Amino acid sequence: MNSLISAEDSKSADGTLPAEALPEPRSQGKLVLRKFLRHKLAMICTAVLLLLVLTVLIMPIFWPHSYEDSSFPSFARPSADYPLGTTQVGKEMVSQILRGTQYSLLIALVVSIIATTIGTVFGAMAGYLRGFTDSAISRVTDLFLIVPQIAAAAILAKVFGGGSWYIVAMVLAAFGWMPIARIARAEAMSLSQREFVDAARASGAGTFHIVFKHLVPNMVGLITVNATLAVAQAVLIEAALSFIGLGVQLPDTSLGRVILENYAQLQNRPALFFGPFIVLVLISLTINFIGDGLRDAFDPRQRKMKA
């Protein structure tokens, strides 16, 4: 009651509240976070993904079996000691899945960071400078787009690294930046017509200052969404390469590699195949739904949240 009286007393002669009495407007970051937190499916998937990541990072410390140990009985059936059984060469399956998931997530994270960085820089420069720079970057982007990504990645990974995980990650990143570059280019062309860019030009700011201090920060929503989706795409492409035997090679491993090694046991010992397969699908689905939630949160056309 007192608050209502004080609010009435603080009104000016024309019946409006003074500026200090108005509620503080929400920042863009708080609005985005609130919208994302209200996206139920995205929040569920975020919790599942975090649980999965924590599991593959912490569980190997306490798991009694090592992924390198091959002294277990060959093709032991699932039991209390071997929840998913053992492989043909005597390796315990749970430890193999934990190690493979670690490598798959690591590769996907490296690919996402590198591809997003390259695509954002190239796209922003092309969209802002236009002219010859735009034409050159666009032609290079088109050239990379027509090259079959999996085939090129398989060849280059085999030639340069013999299947080491970091070589596979670099090669996948080299052929994964083009879609992000196209989206960033279109966004940069739109932003370059805004008043704050004109003001920066008038103040004498250079090209790199405008691109990296004004354009790229205003594309943070776009960059975040595409970086998230790039993780899911990298997980699947890496798994496809490893499954056909042209990706990660021993002693490194990944979920695709684990699936390949146990594909022949699909009918007789399905746990060996479906264990890593379900984890792979779970990672891809959760990341994609998180990306959908981020896209809805950053989209200004979505219904405004109540204050």
Side-chain angles (χ1 to χ4, degrees):
M1 188 68 178
N2 292 334
S3 61
L4 292 176
I5 295 175
S6 60
E8 289 293 334
D9 293 340
S10 63
K11 286 185 178 181
S12 60
D14 59 357
T16 60
L17 289 171
E20 59 272 13
L22 293 174
E24 183 180 355
R26 295 180 182 274
S27 66
Q28 182 64 25
K30 290 181 179 179
L31 288 174
V32 169
L33 178 60
R34 187 176 181 185
K35 291 171 70 174
F36 180 71
L37 293 176
R38 289 196 173 187
H39 197 293
K40 295 181 180 180
L41 184 56
M43 291 307 300
I44 293 173
C45 290
T46 301
V48 172
L49 183 62
L50 288 176
L51 180 61
L52 179 63
V53 171
L54 290 175
T55 299
V56 300
L57 291 178
I58 298 175
M59 188 173 173
I61 301 176
F62 304 98
W63 193 248
H65 308 309
S66 171
Y67 73 95
E68 296 177 319
D69 192 351
S70 58
S71 62
F72 302 106
S74 177
F75 287 143
R77 294 187 176 278
S79 63
D81 292 332
Y82 319 119
L84 294 178
T86 62
T87 65
Q88 183 177 9
V89 296
K91 291 187 176 182
E92 197 270 328
M93 196 59 193
V94 172
S95 61
Q96 294 298 302
I97 293 175
L98 293 173
R99 188 65 173 181
T101 305
Q102 289 177 354
Y103 270 90
S104 290
L105 290 175
L106 179 60
I107 292 171
L109 185 61
V110 171
V111 171
S112 177
I113 293 174
I114 296 176
T116 301
T117 301
I118 296 174
T120 300
V121 171
F122 280 8
M125 295 296 292
Y128 175 71
L129 294 175
R130 305 192 182 187
F132 173 77
T133 302
D134 183 22
S135 298
I137 293 177
S138 297
R139 298 296 78 78
V140 172
T141 303
D142 293 338
L143 178 63
F144 273 78
L145 281 172
I146 65 175
V147 177
Q149 182 178 7
I150 292 182
I155 294 172
L156 293 177
K158 195 70 174 178
V159 170
F160 290 106
S164 298
W165 73 267
Y166 51 88
I167 296 296
V168 173
M170 296 297 179
V171 171
L172 290 179
F175 288 90
W177 58 269
M178 298 83 69
I180 300 176
R182 281 190 163 185
I183 298 173
R185 172 183 175 272
E187 186 71 9
M189 292 181 72
S190 175
L191 290 173
S192 63
Q193 307 300 317
R194 305 284 285 274
E195 292 80 2
F196 66 87
V197 176
D198 293 335
R201 289 197 197 100
S203 66
T207 297
F208 286 96
H209 179 86
I210 293 175
V211 170
F212 294 106
K213 295 292 185 179
H214 296 283
L215 296 185
V216 173
N218 279 279
M219 293 190 289
V220 62
L222 179 76
I223 294 170
T224 303
V225 172
N226 283 277
T228 303
L229 298 176
V231 174
Q233 185 181 23
V235 168
L236 295 177
I237 295 177
E238 182 280 322
L241 280 176
S242 298
F243 181 73
I244 61 178
L246 297 175
V248 175
Q249 305 292 328
L250 297 175
D252 294 341
T253 187
S254 69
L255 287 175
R257 180 76 192 179
V258 177
I259 293 173
L260 169 65
E261 293 173 350
N262 297 279
Y263 176 69
Q265 309 303 321
L266 175 59
Q267 293 183 341
N268 297 329
R269 300 170 182 86
L272 297 180
F273 173 83
F274 283 108
F277 179 80
I278 291 174
V279 174
L280 178 65
V281 173
L282 186 63
I283 292 173
S284 179
L285 283 177
T286 54
I287 294 177
N288 274 291
F289 284 127
I290 292 172
D292 289 342
L294 288 172
R295 180 166 49 230
D296 292 344
F298 279 107
D299 190 352
R301 294 168 297 181
Q302 293 289 322
R303 179 175 59 86
K304 292 183 178 180
M305 303 296 299
K306 294 182 180 180

